[in-house]
Amino acid sequence: MPEQTDDRISIIMGDITIQHVDAIANAANPTLLGGGGVDGAIHRAAGPGLLEECRTLGGCRTGEAKITKGYNLPARFVIHTVGPVWRKGGKDEDVLLAACYRNSLTLAELSGVKTIAFPAISTGAYGFPYERAANIAVWTVREFISTHPSMERVVFVCHGEKAYRIYCETFEKDWADHPETLLAEAIAAHLLMIETSHNIRIRNREEIVRRIAPAVKNSIQALSFGISLNTWVAVSRMTGDMTVPDKVLLQIVEQMNKT
Ligand code: ADP
């Protein structure tokens, strides 16, 4: 089996259901009650106990993740995440796909998982363009593990040779210089997470992304922006629909430039 590795990321061609890792991610649908593709393969290999546990979970929203045991799989856990259906890029698909990887990794880490395998979420029945999805997957995982040393290994399991080639090419890109669009995605993902965790809606979300992305030089600065804004939202006890004032944004950018 071909394999490409750095010290914490592996890209392999194969079947996710036979991976010996602490957890495998499942590209599930919102009901969590089983489907085709990788979901079907995981349920077949895990046995009926998996579906039984999934029935108790009350489904899962797009971009979010839920955990179950792995039953007859070699993996101890399955992290079920629901990828976005591709709708020509106009429905926050990039941000939601990044959220799938980030939320799966966060949940995995909270459950003590140190090694995890991912399929190419959303690239089958949900129709996400493969290369674009691979970029988001690799970049989001790289960003996450760079700030989470407890995650020892992430394996991308590619179903087929073409998929494997695309992941390898993505992996070899120079990640020191993130293209601005990916930084914009990172900022949008941080905003989405802030909205979800504080149960708010940021009215000027798109404007913030447009204004902040050119000021951000790398993923550390994007993260620093997310942390500062999250702190501001928490301290000012914002609720419901809200707008982040200009002067707050300016202060955060100023602070970010010092990092
Ligand atoms: P989605 O509905 O999120 O698009 P799919 O299951 O249709 O999910 O496809 C997601 C990806 O999983 C596709 O790239 C598909 O080729 C791949 N895939 C299907 N079966 C397996 C498997 N057993 N192991 C790893 N990847 C798989």
Side-chain angles (χ1 to χ4, degrees):
M1 190 189 299
E3 177 156 357
Q4 158 131 6
T5 322
D6 78 2
D7 55 343
R8 290 167 75 199
I9 294 180
S10 304
I11 300 169
I12 65 164
M13 198 165 87
D15 178 359
I16 200 161
T17 64
I18 59 170
Q19 300 306 314
H20 288 262
V21 281
D22 297 338
I24 62 170
N26 178 18
N29 63 49
T31 66
L32 296 185
L33 298 181
V38 73
D39 195 5
I42 290 173
H43 275 274
R44 275 193 300 280
L50 181 61
L51 184 58
E52 234 167 81
E53 186 176 352
C54 282
R55 281 193 213 284
T56 67
L57 298 178
C60 181
R61 286 190 299 195
T62 304
E64 294 183 2
K66 296 214 172 155
I67 191 164
T68 63
K69 287 180 283 187
Y71 298 90
N72 300 336
L73 294 164
R76 202 165 138 227
F77 298 109
V78 179
I79 312 250
H80 306 263
T81 184
V82 180
V85 176
W86 177 254
R87 299 193 196 282
K88 298 189 180 151
K91 296 275 176 206
D92 278 343
E93 292 98 315
D94 291 341
V95 172
L96 289 165
L97 186 60
C100 285
Y101 285 93
R102 211 171 282 117
N103 287 330
S104 297
L105 288 162
T106 304
L107 186 55
E109 190 181 42
L110 287 171
S111 313
V113 166
K114 303 212 171 303
T115 56
I116 181 168
F118 280 99
I121 299 163
S122 282
T123 62
Y126 282 3
F128 210 107
Y130 205 96
E131 218 173 306
R132 187 168 177 142
N135 259 297
I136 293 168
V138 172
W139 189 73
T140 307
V141 164
R142 282 202 155 174
E143 192 196 31
F144 184 92
I145 63 175
S146 71
T147 49
H148 295 77
S150 72
M151 194 55 70
E152 289 170 9
R153 174 154 302 277
V154 177
V155 183
F156 291 112
V157 182
C158 306
H159 208 52
E161 213 164 301
K162 187 166 168 228
Y164 175 75
R165 215 177 42 242
I166 293 175
Y167 261 89
C168 289
E169 281 164 15
T170 303
F171 182 78
E172 279 156 17
K173 281 185 194 159
D174 182 6
W175 296 96
D177 235 4
H178 300 306
E180 199 173 286
T181 51
L182 286 177
L183 288 172
E185 272 161 31
I187 291 161
H190 289 308
L191 293 174
L192 195 72
M193 262 192 292
I194 293 170
E195 287 183 320
T196 311
S197 58
H198 295 281
N199 202 15
I200 57 170
R201 195 181 71 85
I202 302 172
R203 284 196 212 93
N204 54 340
R205 178 151 71 99
E206 278 175 27
E207 189 210 329
I208 295 175
V209 175
R210 253 198 329 274
R211 283 185 47 191
I212 300 299
V216 167
K217 292 189 202 73
N218 52 43
S219 62
I220 305 289
Q221 283 197 341
L223 180 67
S224 146
F225 169 78
I227 292 169
S228 304
L229 187 60
N230 187 50
T231 307
W232 177 80
V233 170
V235 169
S236 42
R237 294 171 198 259
M238 288 290 167
T239 50
D241 284 16
M242 48 85 61
T243 303
V244 180
D246 254 17
K247 82 171 191 298
V248 172
L249 287 179
L250 288 173
Q251 267 170 13
I252 292 177
V253 169
E254 221 171 86
Q255 206 179 345
M256 192 176 74
N257 284 333
K258 289 184 196 148
T259 58

